Amino acid sequence: MKFGTKPLDMVIIGRSILSSVGNPTAELYRGLINELAQRGHRTTFLEFHEPGKKYVRDMLKSPYCEVWTYASTDQLVAEYGYAIQSADVVLMGSMVNDTNRIAEWIAEEARGVTVYYDTNLSATIDHLQCRQDNSAFCLSADNLRHFNLFLSTTGGPFLENLAKTYEISNARALYESVDPYSFYRTDTDKHYDLGFIGNFKNDREELLNSMLLGPARYTPNRKFSLAGSGYNRVDWPRNLTYLEYLPETNLVDFYNRQHCSLVLSRADRKRMGYTPTRRLLAAAACGVPVLTDNWDGIDFFFEPHREVFCVNDEQDVLAVLYGKEEGLRQKIGHDARKRILEQHTTGHRAEQLLSYLAEITD
């Protein structure tokens, strides 16, 4: 079979595609499946729905794939065996409950190419190295080798070492991406000198205090913004606008109202390197000058200080906001958006996936 030259039937077992609430992988799957559908490929998405639990869906029905639900792994195995057997490609995502049993079932039943897509390589490595017990949603070392292709949103040395250590023959990076029709530049008036979006995380609290709250306190006549939940708003500067909840549909407006956008990595992603976040790509796709902390591999995605500003502390942030000419900041935002359109769209990732499949079937 030549992947990409005929319509493929794909089955994906993932956390959820219908709800992105507390589930950042939903947007990843939506973008990838949409691009595959535009190329004529058919996808069935299987997701777990706990009986009696109410789910908040921001997508009632997928326009580009069928979505089937299962109430238990027993039901999945009993009812969907034929779908697995008849699929050209079976892709299982990470962070799925009862992941090892499902992986073993796929290995037994699938006749096409099997793929594992790891969207949290840090958790996987911590589990394999016995630093943390993630057995409910991370694969064992034996099950890692059951798949024909191992994909990860993290690349670089950590992925290479994982493949070597656990004898994974085909490990490839399939990074996060954005749809340029969903994230774009507008002519909205700028309301904020700097903005940040992200829920509260202990591991980046110090950075946020230094790079957002600090500059806001230092320049009380300027305006700043923060969107996200879980924050303890004690002694926050008055010139900081806070939005506890920001719908996905409002992100473009949020980014475009900023002169600059701050993107901070979580500690685990920064430790891994080579893990561009969707927030970083989305802000860049909107043409907003991005300030971000430095991490290994960032120059693989953007050229520091030509497409993004790499900052380490409050003084670096202030130097960009008030020490750089507006024309230079706008050019950096423009060049970052250009880089997104050339290399980091959902279309690029779909083509990469098809090329990886072609590699292992030739």
Side-chain angles (χ1 to χ4, degrees):
M1 177 188 302
K2 291 293 184 181
F3 285 86
T5 62
K6 60 170 278 189
L8 299 174
D9 284 310
M10 179 180 292
V11 171
I12 296 179
I13 304 175
R15 284 183 63 186
S16 177
I17 194 173
L18 297 178
S19 176
S20 64
V21 179
N23 173 34
T25 61
E27 293 297 336
L28 183 152
Y29 287 127
R30 290 171 185 176
L32 192 62
I33 294 171
N34 181 31
E35 292 292 343
L36 292 172
Q38 292 184 37
R39 290 159 175 76
H41 306 301
R42 298 177 291 268
T43 301
T44 299
F45 196 96
L46 304 179
E47 61 179 71
F48 172 69
H49 277 212
E50 183 179 341
K53 181 178 179 180
K54 292 184 178 181
Y55 289 86
V56 180
R57 292 181 174 180
D58 52 350
M59 178 183 283
L60 298 179
K61 183 178 180 180
S62 171
Y64 29 73
C65 70
E66 291 190 47
V67 180
W68 299 347
T69 63
Y70 60 94
S72 67
T73 306
D74 287 340
Q75 182 192 1
L76 175 69
V77 170
E79 297 185 8
Y80 296 130
Y82 178 74
I84 300 300
Q85 294 167 6
S86 60
D88 298 311
V89 180
V90 178
L91 185 150
M92 179 182 177
S94 61
M95 314 307 286
V96 173
N97 195 45
D98 211 2
T99 188
N100 282 287
R101 183 183 172 194
I102 295 174
E104 290 163 4
W105 172 63
I106 291 172
E108 293 173 358
E109 298 292 335
R111 299 170 185 172
V113 177
T114 58
V115 183
Y116 184 72
Y117 195 4
D118 195 318
T119 57
N120 193 338
L121 193 66
S122 177
T124 298
I125 291 175
D126 284 346
H127 173 67
L128 292 171
Q129 296 181 350
C130 300
R131 290 198 295 261
Q132 189 172 345
D133 182 9
N134 298 322
S135 54
F137 51 84
C138 284
L139 288 180
S140 67
D142 288 337
N143 282 327
L144 280 174
R145 292 185 283 267
H146 282 169
F147 292 88
N148 303 128
L149 176 62
F150 182 96
L151 300 176
S152 173
T153 51
T154 293
F158 275 88
L159 179 60
E160 294 169 4
N161 291 339
L162 180 80
K164 182 178 180 180
T165 301
Y166 297 99
E167 300 178 346
I168 302 171
S169 56
N170 293 295
R172 302 286 187 274
L174 193 67
Y175 298 110
E176 289 272 11
S177 60
V178 289
D179 182 349
Y181 294 101
S182 297
F183 293 95
Y184 46 85
R185 192 200 319 261
T186 70
D187 294 328
T188 303
D189 291 339
K190 306 298 184 184
H191 289 184
Y192 307 106
D193 286 58
L194 184 67
F196 173 82
I197 181 170
N199 296 333
F200 175 80
K201 302 294 180 185
N202 285 317
D203 57 18
R204 65 183 176 202
E205 181 180 14
E206 185 176 345
L207 278 178
L208 191 65
N209 285 332
S210 172
M211 298 193 194
L212 183 70
L213 302 185
R217 293 189 183 99
Y218 190 79
T219 55
N221 60 321
R222 306 283 187 160
K223 294 184 178 180
F224 297 77
S225 62
L226 187 155
S229 62
Y231 290 94
N232 182 15
R233 292 177 285 166
V234 176
D235 296 328
W236 275 16
R238 293 183 178 181
N239 58 335
L240 178 71
T241 298
Y242 176 58
L243 302 170
E244 186 171 6
Y245 174 68
L246 186 69
E248 185 77 16
T249 52
N250 290 6
L251 285 178
V252 170
D253 184 66
F254 180 76
Y255 284 127
N256 276 279
R257 289 184 183 278
Q258 304 168 15
H259 283 286
C260 293
S261 188
L262 178 66
V263 179
L264 299 176
S265 302
R266 291 185 55 179
D268 55 349
R269 290 181 177 239
K270 189 170 183 177
R271 173 173 64 90
M272 306 291 287
Y274 291 86
T275 311
T277 66
R278 187 168 179 269
R279 298 292 188 209
L280 173 63
L281 302 179
C286 290
V288 183
V290 174
L291 285 67
T292 184
D293 50 329
N294 207 348
W295 38 270
D296 288 343
I298 190 172
D299 54 345
F300 183 79
F301 306 96
F302 296 102
E303 186 175 349
H305 305 296
R306 293 183 66 91
E307 295 171 328
V308 295
F309 290 106
C310 289
V311 291
N312 297 309
D313 53 33
E314 178 181 329
Q315 291 304 314
D316 287 347
V317 173
L318 291 170
V320 173
L321 295 183
Y322 312 120
K324 302 291 185 183
E325 294 182 358
E326 176 65 16
L328 173 62
R329 292 201 302 265
Q330 289 184 359
K331 184 178 188 306
I332 281 184
H334 175 272
D335 290 348
R337 174 169 167 76
K338 182 180 178 182
R339 184 73 173 264
I340 293 290
L341 297 178
E342 291 175 349
Q343 297 182 4
H344 303 307
T345 68
T346 49
H348 290 110
R349 299 297 180 257
E351 290 296 335
Q352 286 175 338
L353 173 59
L354 293 172
S355 69
Y356 292 155
L357 294 170
E359 281 181 33
I360 63 175
T361 56
D362 282 346

